[in-house]
Amino acid sequence: MPFHYGSAKPDTAEQLMRSRYSAYFFRLVDYLVSTTHPDTREPNLKQLLDDSIHQPNWRFLTILGTAKGGKDDKTGKVEFVAEYFIDGQPHELHERSRFKRYKGAWKYFDGKG
C-alpha cells in the first residue's frame, strides 16, 4: 500500500509487478495508469481500465522468475501467473512483463518479454 499511496516507490521490477497486481485486486486505476511507461501507455488506458476493472476477481499471483530489474538496473523482466475468475469461471494470465525505468522510477513497459 505505501506504493499505492505514493509514500514509497518500488526498488525493483518485481516489487512494481506485485504492487500492480494488488492495484488490479483493489481496482486502483490511477495507480495502474501512473505505473505504465509513457512510451507504451495507450491514450485511453484510464477509460479502458475503468470499463474493465470490475470484471475479473483476482485470486492469486505466482512469480515464476525475474531477469534483471534490480535496484541498479534500468530494465527488467518478471514472469508470472495471475489467477482470476470471471462469472465464476477460473482463468490464468501467464505473462513475461518487461519493465523500464522512467525518470528513475520503475514502470510497466509491456507483456512482450
Side-chain angles (χ1 to χ4, degrees), residues 13-52:
E14 182 179 344
Q15 285 180 343
L16 179 60
M17 174 64 242
R18 291 179 181 280
S19 73
R20 285 177 55 87
Y21 172 81
S22 296
Y24 275 102
F25 184 89
F26 292 113
R27 294 161 170 80
L28 304 174
V29 170
D30 290 336
Y31 182 79
L32 293 166
V33 172
S34 72
T35 57
T36 301
H37 198 284
D39 290 348
T40 55
R41 186 186 309 146
E42 297 179 40
N44 61 339
L45 178 59
K46 182 171 175 26
Q47 185 62 52
L48 291 170
L49 288 168
D50 282 337
D51 292 346
S52 64

Side-chain angles (χ1 to χ4, degrees), residues 23-88:
Y24 275 102
F25 184 89
F26 292 113
R27 294 161 170 80
L28 304 174
V29 170
D30 290 336
Y31 182 79
L32 293 166
V33 172
S34 72
T35 57
T36 301
H37 198 284
D39 290 348
T40 55
R41 186 186 309 146
E42 297 179 40
N44 61 339
L45 178 59
K46 182 171 175 26
Q47 185 62 52
L48 291 170
L49 288 168
D50 282 337
D51 292 346
S52 64
I53 198 83
H54 294 285
Q55 286 290 328
N57 289 311
W58 297 97
R59 181 179 171 270
F60 200 75
L61 174 68
T62 303
I63 302 294
L64 301 176
T66 61
K68 295 189 179 180
K71 291 181 180 185
D72 298 322
D73 294 317
K74 293 183 180 177
T75 63
K77 294 181 183 179
V78 178
E79 182 177 5
F80 69 92
V81 174
E83 300 173 28
Y84 62 98
F85 289 88
I86 293 180
D87 296 328

Side-chain angles (χ1 to χ4, degrees), residues 29 100 107:
V29 170
K100 288 186 178 183
K107 302 288 182 180

